[in-house]
Amino acid sequence: MPKLKRTHTCGELTVEDVKKTVVMTGWVNSSRDHGGVTFIDLRDRYGITQIVFNPEAGEELHRNARILRPEFVIAVKGVVSLRSDETINPNMETGKLEIIADELELLNRSETPPFEISESETITSLEIRLKHRYLDLRRFQMQRNLIFRHKSYQIIRKFLDNINFLEIETPFLTKSTPEGARDYLVPSRVNQSKCYALPQSPQLFKQLLMVSGYDRYFQIVRCFRDEDLRSQRQPEFTQLDLELSFIDEEDIYEIIESLMAKLFSELLEIDIPTPFPRLSYKDAMDSYGCDKPDLRFGLKIKNLTDLAGKSDFKVFTGAVESGGKVKGINAKGCSKFSRKDIDDLTASLADCGAKGLAWFKVEDGRVLTSSIAKFFSKELQDEIADRLEAEPGDLLLFVADKDKVVDSSLAQLRLNLAKILNLTKKDDFQFTWIVEFPLFEFNSDMDRFDSLHHPFTSPRSEDLSILDEKPLEVKARAYDLVVNGVELGGGSIRIHDPEIQKKAFKLLNIDDESARSKFGFLLDGLKYGAPPHGGIALGLDRMVALMLGLDDIREVIPFPKTQKATCLMTGAPSAVDQVQLKELGLKIDD
RNA sequence: GGGGCCGUAGCUCAACUGGUUAGAGUACCAGACUGUCGAUCUGGAUGUUGCGGGUUCGAAUCCCGUCGGCCUCGCCA
C-alpha cells in the first residue's frame, strides 16, 4: 500500500501554493540528470510539474531519483517553490514553479515504451499507436481529445435536460431489419438458430417511445453497421439521437442550431450564427454536385449543357446527345496553371469516372484560349464566359458525361481546387441544412423505388396526392445537417399514420407479409394513437473531430478499429472455442 | 469486390540505375557532469529489410504469391 497520498495534481499549482508541502503522483515524463541536481518532469492528465532532487536532501533520495526512467509511476512529497527568474520555463504552464523533493516513492516501474509518450511532435504510425493504445491514450493530444469529448457530452446533456428531454436507453440486442446497412449479428444460445442484431440506430424504438408519450427523448448511443470503413466511418460509432412529438421541422432546426451554437461558444469560443442557411437537395446538386457541400468557399458549378450542344466539340455534343450534360467551374485566377497542373486535376477525377477535363484560359479582353477553342464560335465563347462570370486570369474547367459522373467529378474538382488554392480555414464552420430531399430514388438494378432516407420518413402533405402517380417527384420531410463538407447528421418527420406507412411500403416493394415480419411491432404501435413525431441523429465522433480540426474520427475514439474492422490491441475479432460454438448450435466452414 | 500507396534497428526514416560490411536521428545501456527543461559530453549495444517463393554471379531494390497498415471507388435505408 502506497505511503504517500496525492494532495495536488500536476497541473494545478499556482504561485499561491508556494511554500506548501504537497504530494504529487504521476508518470515520469522526462528526466535530466546532472550528476548532482536531478530534474524530473512529472506528468498526469492535468499537466506537468518539475520536481527537483537535490543531493543535499539526502543521499538515498538522490540515488533513487537517478534511476527513474520515463513512464515510471511515482509519488513525490516536497515543498512548492518559486523558480529563480533565469530558470523560469515560459513554455510550461507550471513553469514558474517547481517542487523541491524530500520524499520519493516508486509506485511502479515501466518497460521502455515502444514509442515516446512525451514527444509531442514525432508522429508514430497509427498501426503502432493502435497496438499500444493504452500508451497512445497517455499522450497529451489524445487526453485533450477525450476530455474535449467528455465536455461536449456534459453540455449536450445539460442543454437537453433543461428543455425537458429524457435520456432513455434502448436495447443493443434487438431484431435484424435487413434494409439499409448490413447488420452485425449475435447468435442466440437460448433460441438456437436465431440471431439478434446490433442496432444500426435506435430508429424504431425511439418512434415507439413517442407512441408511449415520452415526447422528448434523447440518447447518446452506440450504433453498429457492418460496412467498409473510412477515416470518417467506424463499424461502431456514437450518435446523439433525438425524437420529439407534436413538432415540425422548424422545432428540430431550432433545437439543433441552439445546441450547436452552445457547444461552439462554450468549447471553442466561436460564435456560430443562427439560424443556419437552408439549401434544397436540388440546388445543392446543381451548384455543388453533391448533397454535403463545403460552403466555406464558392467555386460554384454552372450548367452549360444548352451552350455545349451548340459547339462543334464532339465530346460535348456527344454527351448532350446521349442524354448526359456538361457543367463547369470557374477556377478564379488559375489561368497560370500549367498543362501538368491540369493533367493532375484530370487524373484526380478518374475515380469519379470522368474521362477528361476540358478547359479554357481567360486572357486579356476575355479571350478564351485552349486547344479546343476552335470548336466554339466567338459568340458561344462569350456566352460561356458570361455564364461562368469569367474574368481575365481565370481558368474554366468542364466535364461532359453522364449526369452522375459530371456531378461527382465536379464535386471532387471543387474540393481539390479549394485545397490547392488554400480556400478553407480550420476555424471557419459553415453550417447548412440540406432540405427537400426526394422521398424515393429509383433502383434500376432491382427495378423498384428505394427510400433516400428510410421507409418511415413522411412525404410532404402537399405531395400525398401524387404519391402513386409520380413517386419520384414526392419530396420528403427530411433534413441533413452539413458542416464544411461533412454530413454531421440527418433526420426526418416520420409517418405516424399506418395507412400512409402501408402505402410507402408498397412503393418500396415491401409486401404486407414482409412488412409485418420486419416492422410489425412498429406498425402495431402506430395503430394506438401515435402522435405526430420526428427526430434527428448527429454523428458525435464526427462532430468532436470536426471541432478539434481532425480529419480522422479515430483520433476521438479511445479504442477504434482498423480499416479491416479489427482491433490491433485485443486482436478482435478472433476464433472462438468449439464449446462456445456448440452451445450456440453453430458450425463454421473453413 | 475493384484501384492506389506503404512495410528496413524499439520508434521515425535513408540506402542513386540490382553491387562491397544496410546507415542516420531518436530511444535504449554504461560512464561523466549541481539549474536543466528536446539537457550536454564520451562510449556501447541494436536488423528474419513483414513472410514465402522466383529471376540473377549478386535482391531491401525486379517478378509472383501472401500477411498487415493507410487512402479511395463500390457499400454506408
Side-chain angles (χ1 to χ4, degrees), chain A residues 545-559:
Chain A
L546 184 87
M547 291 179 82
L548 288 166
L550 303 166
D551 294 326
D552 190 337
I553 62 171
R554 283 173 290 207
E555 298 298 327
V556 300
I557 298 174
F559 300 102

Side-chain angles (χ1 to χ4, degrees), chain A residues 4 21-22 37-40 50-58 61-62 65 68 74-81 98-105:
Chain A
L4 295 174
T21 295
V22 300
V37 66
T38 292
F39 301 94
I40 297 286
Q50 174 165 282
I51 317 289
V52 184
F53 294 92
N54 286 310
E56 294 79 9
L61 175 71
H62 186 243
L68 295 177
I74 61 172
V76 174
K77 183 155 78 72
V79 177
V80 182
S81 55
E98 60 193 5
I99 311 282
I100 309 298
D102 55 38
E103 199 175 335
L104 168 67
E105 191 176 3

Side-chain angles (χ1 to χ4, degrees), chain A residues 208-225:
Chain A
L208 289 167
L209 285 170
M210 295 304 108
V211 175
S212 307
Y214 298 90
D215 62 358
R216 286 184 164 214
Y217 142 94
F218 86 97
Q219 189 177 189
I220 292 176
V221 63
R222 201 68 59 81
C223 301
F224 305 86
R225 294 180 189 175

Side-chain angles (χ1 to χ4, degrees), chain A residues 426-558:
Chain A
K426 282 240 153 159
D427 58 351
D428 182 16
F429 297 93
Q430 294 295 329
F431 283 84
T432 188
W433 292 105
I434 307 295
V435 298
E436 291 173 30
F437 284 90
L439 188 62
F440 302 114
E441 60 186 346
F442 190 68
N443 182 333
S444 47
D445 293 341
M446 306 292 283
D447 193 35
R448 61 156 198 241
F449 299 105
D450 279 348
S451 297
L452 207 69
H453 193 60
H454 61 52
F456 319 108
T457 300
S458 176
R460 292 195 305 197
S461 56
E462 63 263 43
D463 294 343
L464 280 174
S465 55
I466 55 164
L467 195 56
D468 291 313
E469 303 95 77
K470 301 175 190 162
L472 287 176
E473 287 175 32
V474 175
K475 296 284 191 297
R477 296 182 67 183
Y479 31 82
D480 275 0
L481 181 61
V482 170
V483 196
N484 298 0
V486 175
E487 186 196 326
L488 242 198
S492 63
I493 304 300
R494 326 296 182 189
I495 299 171
H496 64 279
D497 176 342
E499 287 309 309
I500 297 176
Q501 185 65 70
K502 267 191 192 162
K503 229 175 185 175
F505 282 148
K506 202 171 177 187
L507 286 158
L508 292 166
N509 211 7
I510 301 173
D511 59 50
D512 280 355
E513 196 186 333
S514 72
R516 178 124 292 282
S517 76
K518 287 170 182 164
F519 315 114
F521 60 103
L522 175 71
L523 298 176
D524 287 342
L526 292 178
K527 289 183 203 159
Y528 296 99
H533 63 283
I536 190 167
L538 303 182
L540 287 186
D541 313 281
R542 286 183 187 179
M543 186 193 80
V544 174
L546 184 87
M547 291 179 82
L548 288 166
L550 303 166
D551 294 326
D552 190 337
I553 62 171
R554 283 173 290 207
E555 298 298 327
V556 300
I557 298 174

Side-chain angles (χ1 to χ4, degrees), chain A residues 46-205:
Chain A
Y46 306 92
I48 292 179
T49 298
Q50 174 165 282
I51 317 289
V52 184
F53 294 92
N54 286 310
E56 294 79 9
E59 199 186 316
E60 192 191 345
L61 175 71
H62 186 243
R63 194 170 57 239
N64 289 339
R66 293 183 68 185
I67 62 158
L68 295 177
R69 292 290 175 272
E71 306 314 316
F72 279 23
V73 188
I74 61 172
V76 174
K77 183 155 78 72
V79 177
V80 182
S81 55
L82 214 51
R83 299 197 199 180
S84 63
D85 284 350
E86 63 279 11
T87 62
I88 287 175
N89 184 346
N91 302 318
M92 230 170 135
E93 286 210 30
T94 59
K96 285 185 177 168
L97 299 165
E98 60 193 5
I99 311 282
I100 309 298
D102 55 38
E103 199 175 335
L104 168 67
E105 191 176 3
L106 179 60
L107 299 173
N108 210 347
R109 294 169 166 273
S110 168
E111 285 187 16
T112 302
F115 52 89
E116 290 155 76
I117 312 302
S118 58
E119 200 70 53
S120 51
E121 286 163 40
T122 308
I123 298 138
T124 311
S125 69
L126 189 62
E127 195 174 352
I128 302 288
R129 290 174 56 204
L130 291 181
K131 184 166 181 198
H132 305 275
R133 191 59 154 181
Y134 40 86
L135 291 177
D136 190 42
L137 293 177
R138 215 179 261 175
R139 290 166 53 239
F140 167 77
Q141 285 95 333
M142 290 308 295
Q143 298 204 335
R144 176 203 61 185
N145 294 354
L146 295 189
I147 291 166
F148 186 96
R149 186 170 181 144
H150 158 82
K151 285 182 182 162
S152 74
Y153 281 26
Q154 306 319 306
I155 291 167
I156 289 167
R157 289 204 158 96
K158 192 171 156 202
F159 176 89
L160 293 174
D161 178 56
N162 275 341
I163 51 174
N164 276 334
F165 277 83
L166 299 172
E167 185 170 6
I168 301 175
E169 293 177 68
T170 52
F172 277 3
L173 293 176
T174 180
K175 187 177 160 64
S176 172
T177 51
E179 271 70 25
R182 218 173 276 120
D183 282 324
Y184 274 102
L185 296 177
V186 180
S188 164
R189 174 184 59 82
V190 184
N191 304 277
Q192 298 264 312
S193 82
K194 293 189 177 159
C195 284
Y196 302 97
L198 302 179
Q200 298 175 28
S201 87
Q203 183 62 35
L204 302 182
F205 287 102

